[in-house]
Amino acid sequence: MDHLILKVTTKLLFAPIILFALYVQFHGDYGPGGGFQAGVIFAVAFILHAFCFGLAETKKVLPQKALTIAMVLGLMFYAGTGVATLLLGGNFLAYTEIDPQSTHHAGQHYGILLVEWGVGVTVASTMLTIFYHFTGREPDIDQEDW
Amino acid sequence: MTGYHLELSPSVWLDLSLLTMMVLVAIAMLRSRHLFAVVMLSGIYSLLSAAFFVSLDAVDVAFTEAAVGAGVSTVLMLAGMLLTARREKPITPGRAPVALAVVIAAGAALIYATIDMPAFGDGAAPANAHVGQAYVEQTPNDIAVPNIVTAVLASYRGFDTLGEVMVIFTAGVAVMLLLGAGSVRGGREVSDVDADKNEAA
């Protein structure tokens, strides 16, 4: 667990990976990608961090409690978008109601962005939760066991 | 399969070599008893299938396969592997004639079914003709996002995707309930290691 090159590389890569996750998240309308992929890429940045610096350090940055809340919030954000369109007078998840006057389907674009954000948050926090729980059960692996 | 001529273009060679490599990796996974090697091979298998999806022009699927299949699944399998033995128990080969018969029968039925399947890229195939065609034609008028996959996923089938997110959420909750963040007794968190020591004492 004391590899200088790995640590330096991880520190260099950490921010670009998250930036790429955000690009995938918000560029999903225009290219391949979306909330599912962005969430996984976001989680991978923290998994890489946990591999190099240990799970305890990663949990200081992103504690399990925050992840549990994020899991629920992401799902509520998605469902909440649907409820909002209901309250605006449309069907559940009928995004056109968000901006009915728009001539270029802005309501649909907003709706997709909001919903994808909910997907991304839930996927990222769930992946990290599963990783935390699996990895948190055994401290270290013997070198002979590989 | 009528009216479809197999052209040995470079992309066909690429597909064939990718599929061959996938079969070889699958055989290597079956034969290996070393769990670490099996996990790594399954990551390679996912990466190969991601490359295959790219060559089929399904970039979104390839992206997901590369991120989830090759990336996170491998990590989770590694993390899961650390909790069990490093080697699979040896099995005595040739003791399952019924299973072999079932596998051969099911495999033969599947290969027989492919004869009726439409050719790759056939415009008259059911997948391309009805609802798929409607999505391709209507997306510019209804939603106006360039990526039709996103339009289908988040708008046309938004309710479906909500269900998918719920499935992921449920998986996370299930793992939390099963593995727990260390057991809690009397409102106090105890790690399993401490609990074992207490029981032994």
Side-chain angles (χ1 to χ4, degrees):
Chain A
M1 274 296 174
D2 201 33
H3 304 287
L4 184 65
I5 294 174
L6 283 181
K7 281 184 174 174
V8 171
T9 319
T10 305
K11 275 185 182 170
L12 275 176
L13 281 176
F14 189 74
I17 290 176
I18 289 182
L19 195 64
F20 183 60
L22 290 173
Y23 163 75
V24 170
Q25 170 83 49
F26 293 112
H27 204 257
D29 299 9
Y30 299 95
F36 288 99
Q37 293 90 336
V40 169
I41 294 170
F42 189 84
V44 161
F46 285 93
I47 289 174
L48 193 64
H49 187 274
F51 272 167
C52 281
F53 298 96
L55 193 61
E57 288 294 313
T58 314
K59 276 188 172 167
K60 278 183 200 159
V61 183
L62 207 57
Q64 175 57 46
K65 221 169 227 174
L67 289 178
T68 315
I69 295 169
M71 261 168 81
V72 181
L73 280 184
L75 188 59
M76 301 259 288
F77 204 81
Y78 196 136
T81 310
V83 175
T85 57
L86 269 182
L87 293 176
L88 287 168
N91 283 326
F92 188 67
L93 294 172
Y95 310 131
T96 313
E97 294 304 326
I98 296 172
D99 191 355
Q101 311 298 328
S102 166
T103 51
H104 54 277
H105 306 285
Q108 289 284 345
H109 293 195
Y110 286 134
I112 289 175
L113 270 185
L114 291 171
V115 158
E116 292 272 21
W117 178 246
V119 173
V121 170
T122 303
V123 169
S125 48
T126 307
M127 290 298 156
L128 278 174
T129 300
I130 296 176
F131 173 74
Y132 276 11
H133 282 83
F134 269 101
T135 321
R137 289 192 65 88
E138 206 179 28
D140 232 326
I141 179 168
D142 283 346
Q143 280 302 326
E144 291 88 53
D145 280 339
W146 287 102
Chain B
M1 298 285 266
T2 46
Y4 182 71
H5 301 287
L6 185 70
E7 249 183 86
L8 287 182
S9 62
S11 89
V12 171
W13 282 113
L14 185 69
D15 288 355
L16 282 178
S17 56
L18 281 173
L19 288 171
T20 314
M21 280 194 273
M22 279 164 78
V23 171
L24 291 179
V25 170
I27 292 172
M29 270 161 82
L30 277 176
R31 296 194 61 82
S32 174
R33 301 280 133 214
H34 197 207
L35 288 181
F36 181 67
V38 173
V39 170
M40 283 301 139
L41 283 170
S42 81
I44 293 171
Y45 188 87
S46 287
L47 208 58
L48 284 172
S49 58
F52 184 58
F53 287 137
V54 171
S55 109
L56 290 179
D57 274 348
V59 222
D60 279 272
V61 187
F63 201 168
T64 318
E65 180 67 41
V68 181
V72 165
S73 303
T74 310
V75 168
L76 289 182
M77 296 261 259
L78 272 182
M81 192 196 76
L82 296 185
L83 303 176
T84 174
R86 306 286 177 268
R87 276 183 175 278
E88 198 180 341
K89 276 185 187 153
I91 48 158
T92 39
R95 291 281 171 88
V98 181
L100 188 68
V102 167
V103 166
I104 287 176
L110 285 173
I111 290 172
Y112 178 67
T114 58
I115 298 171
D116 277 347
M117 270 174 64
F120 172 65
D122 186 357
N128 294 333
H130 305 288
V131 80
Q133 194 181 9
Y135 286 145
V136 173
E137 282 170 0
Q138 287 303 315
T139 299
N141 304 325
D142 288 349
I143 298 167
V145 295
N147 186 0
I148 296 175
V149 177
T150 303
V152 174
L153 181 121
S155 188
Y156 286 119
R157 299 197 176 178
F159 199 69
D160 196 54
T161 310
L162 177 62
E164 281 175 39
V165 177
M166 247 175 229
V167 168
I168 291 172
F169 175 78
T170 315
V173 171
V175 168
M176 282 167 91
L177 288 174
L178 285 173
L179 295 180
S183 47
V184 177
R185 275 166 219 165
R188 184 171 56 92
E189 279 200 15
V190 223
S191 81
D192 287 348
V193 183
D194 295 339
D196 288 345
K197 273 181 201 156
N198 290 343
E199 273 162 30

